[in-house]
Amino acid sequence: MNFPPELKYTQEHEWVRIEEGNIAYIGITDFAQSELGELVYVEVETVGEDIDIGEVFGTVEAVKTTSDLFMPLSGKILAFNPNLDENEGDDPTLINSDPYGEGWIIKMEISDPEEVGTLLGAEAYEKLVA
Amino acid sequence: METTTIKSIPLQATHEALGAKMVPFAGYLMPLKYSSVTEEHKAVRNGVGIFDVSHMGEFFLSGPKALDLIQKVTSNDASKLKIGDAQYSCLPNDQGGIVDDLIVYRTGQEEYLLVVNASNIKKDWNWIKSHNTDQVWMEDVSENAALFAVQGPLATQVLQKITDFDLSTISYYKAAICTIGGVHQVIVSATGYTGSGGFELYVPNQDAVQLWDAVMEAGQAENIQPIGLGARDTLRLEMGYCLYGNDIDDTTSPLEAGLGWITKFTHPFINSEALAAQKKEGITKKLVGFKMIERGIPRHDYALCDEAGAVIGKVTSGGQSPMLEKGIGLGYVQKAFAKVGTEIWVQIRKKRVKGVVVKLPFYKNI
């Protein structure tokens, strides 16, 4: 199981990669994809919306189960990874094969940078799922 | 309060060495998956897979009154069984529902083997025992017996390598006792719950590892795969087979569940009069199979609706079909919506997603 140290994590098994200008990429962790199994599709219909921390922004559907996706931080959803979108690349198994890279789910703009302090570091997250 | 302990199956170490993800199920630690559910599923549909289903329960009933007891507690007609025959059946309760579904084998002149769901072993035992008024000998061998299912179009080819018994002589829902993989007295049964053909092997715990290893070795050329409970569920769902606890339970009528074919009014059994009356009056809801037209995956307990959004039923089993690559499900609907071709809608979170009632099985393998 892989927990890149440069990322931040949530108890809901999402990861956050923070870039310049309060931009962040969000995905689900290696642990989450392994628990879910092969993904069938990802639904994100909230692009352009401002959503609060902890609220649902989408859903992942796996062969055996389904799970909501929660905002790790408040902000505006700028994009849904086109490679996961059924209208574009449509390969949700990228989340299984490369959860922290090609399998990113959304790009967002953080509205309240102070919330970043609520996220977990790699070590704390690894302990959580151990 | 009752404390629950996790019981172990003989092959736990074998599964762990194969990389299985083990999960507690019905009080046993069982393999959920080894690789991925879809890969395992396709291995069974296209080749051969082996399942450890040793958690299943096995009871022997014997003596001159054994058949009478079985005829009283099961809905199918066990008087039709010749030695070596198997029969799918259910244990109706006295409230219109089902205690469990099971397989009844006739293993001797006056001896029967009942194979029941792991989660219901205690409930079934107590239920049957409470109706055993004629001192039929009952023995619960669940803790001493291992059970492997070797399933798929190449199952016979693999197993034939390790037995002298001509497996082609065992037809569907029949069983024989043979030596296989060097293990004597294995019950080899042409059953399974996958719809891909193959056999189930009943073996005492002490011989379980030897038999598993022999099958795995024999299947190397056919690329035999170990299969977990995850794919067992998707395989049975693609066939439209009921899973106890999902599609049938203490409150569902066998007639509503589409199990009329194992509800034989040729003999009186528990609640048979009420069920016969239900059959005569007609049922008001029915278990149907449906597949999604629009994108969506039905799941257990999602509501089923008509076009206007009125609730007409409930999903009891659902998932993504690895062969059809579509969402499929089983669910109870009001009778007016049960006809093949009827469009129905699944309430998936905030959306209603269109599906259609289809004929079962969803997928034909053999």
Side-chain angles (χ1 to χ4, degrees), chain A residues 19-31:
Chain A
E19 307 208 326
E20 305 248 318
N22 284 330
I23 298 297
Y25 285 83
I26 315 296
I28 64 169
T29 65
D30 196 14
F31 172 80

Side-chain angles (χ1 to χ4, degrees), chain A:
Chain A
M1 205 67 68
N2 183 13
F3 308 94
E6 68 276 18
L7 302 179
K8 299 285 186 188
Y9 299 86
T10 71
Q11 306 221 355
E12 309 290 351
H13 310 290
E14 278 134 6
W15 57 260
V16 182
R17 190 173 79 229
I18 299 169
E19 307 208 326
E20 305 248 318
N22 284 330
I23 298 297
Y25 285 83
I26 315 296
I28 64 169
T29 65
D30 196 14
F31 172 80
Q33 71 78 20
S34 140
E35 289 291 303
L36 288 166
E38 301 107 301
L39 292 186
V40 180
Y41 68 88
V42 186
E43 194 169 84
V44 174
E45 294 176 338
T46 46
V47 175
E49 292 181 24
D50 284 296
I51 304 182
D52 286 343
I53 187 168
E55 297 293 310
V56 173
F57 71 86
T59 315
V60 286
E61 291 274 3
V63 172
K64 298 290 295 181
T65 187
T66 181
S67 180
D68 282 332
L69 297 166
F70 300 93
M71 289 296 272
L73 299 165
S74 301
K76 183 176 189 172
I77 299 187
L78 302 177
F80 171 37
N81 182 349
N83 294 324
L84 304 180
D85 191 337
E86 68 166 339
N87 301 318
E88 314 243 359
D90 197 21
D91 186 8
T93 60
L94 286 173
I95 293 177
N96 296 113
S97 56
D98 190 9
Y100 301 114
E102 291 292 307
W104 65 273
I105 299 174
I106 56 163
K107 181 181 174 185
M108 67 173 289
E109 185 178 8
I110 301 167
S111 62
D112 181 0
E114 281 192 12
E115 285 175 357
V116 172
T118 64
L119 299 172
L120 302 171
E123 212 168 295
Y125 178 70
E126 187 170 355
K127 268 193 198 131
L128 181 77
V129 300

Side-chain angles (χ1 to χ4, degrees), chain B residues 32-44 226-228 231:
Chain B
L32 178 68
K33 61 175 180 179
Y34 301 82
S35 55
S36 84
V37 170
T38 305
E39 275 173 41
E40 292 172 26
H41 184 108
K42 289 180 177 168
V44 172
I227 315 293

